[in-house]
Amino acid sequence: MRDLSLHILDIVQNSIKAKATEISIILKHEDISSLGKNILKLIITDNGTGMEYELLNRVEDPFMTTRTSRKVGLGIPLLKESALKCDGKFKLSSQKDAGTEITAAFPIDHIDRLPVGDVGETMITLISSNPEIRFMLFLEGEKGSFWLDTREVAESLKGVIITEYTVINWLKEYIDDGIKNIFGGVLNEVNC
């Protein structure tokens, strides 16, 4: 994977296949002064079918997949590898019939940290393809926070469909502005 936005797309596709109706994506900058680190944390949570203990223990193996179309499942193992490659952390927790949460932490200044990528485009792809799913995007950093909830957007549209071209364009600009306002100047690949 070239960037975190592609990891987000891949992991959220797993949530969709697990019949999630609500998916939360959190990107937050944490200044851990006591450790002398700046961390970018990615947390993806869903209310899908979750995983039983046995599957949860095997899911980080790239040669294990529940798909029938291919013999490998690379989404979770690649995200874990991306985090560990830059001295970050990875955590996966899931409970059958209660959903899944994946957390990956990346030291911002590490040379091997993946760039954030086009989170706006990723979110628009997910929203356009799955308008029935409630997507929540939360960004947090030193400059404040940003919140997008597709359920709130849909309710405010008063009958206009969320996948309508003008709405999708507005959402893309809104998300891009949120990324720039929250992370501009903190993540070296985000231009102010």
Side-chain angles (χ1 to χ4, degrees), residues 31-78:
D31 181 1
I32 307 172
S33 300
S34 62
L35 299 176
K37 289 186 177 183
N38 280 312
I39 301 293
L40 178 64
K41 192 176 275 187
L42 168 64
I43 305 165
I44 301 174
T45 307
D46 71 50
N47 68 345
T49 57
M51 292 179 258
E52 292 180 2
Y53 182 75
E54 181 184 304
L55 178 58
L56 185 61
N57 286 332
R58 295 183 349 207
V59 77
E60 294 175 30
D61 178 355
F63 299 105
M64 196 304 277
T65 183
T66 58
R67 291 184 183 188
T68 56
S69 60
R70 65 179 190 213
K71 295 182 182 187
V72 294
L74 297 176
I76 291 172
L78 283 177

Side-chain angles (χ1 to χ4, degrees), residues 5 117-128 137 139 146 148 150 153 162-181:
S5 70
D118 196 344
V119 173
E121 188 62 36
T122 293
M123 292 304 300
I124 293 309
T125 299
L126 291 167
I127 294 166
S128 297
L137 174 65
L139 310 172
F146 169 90
L148 171 74
T150 58
V153 172
I162 199 166
T163 57
E164 189 171 305
Y165 180 77
T166 54
V167 176
I168 289 296
N169 280 342
W170 176 84
L171 283 171
K172 172 78 164 90
E173 288 178 18
Y174 182 61
I175 295 167
D176 288 346
D177 285 346
I179 294 275
K180 187 176 180 180
N181 291 334

Side-chain angles (χ1 to χ4, degrees), residues 11-23 45-51 96-100 130 132-135:
I11 298 300
V12 170
Q13 289 297 332
N14 290 343
S15 296
I16 293 166
K17 286 184 178 95
K19 298 181 173 97
T21 58
E22 295 185 0
I23 301 170
T45 307
D46 71 50
N47 68 345
T49 57
M51 292 179 258
K96 187 71 175 155
D97 300 322
T100 300
N130 307 280
E132 72 286 356
I133 294 176
R134 179 184 187 187
F135 290 101

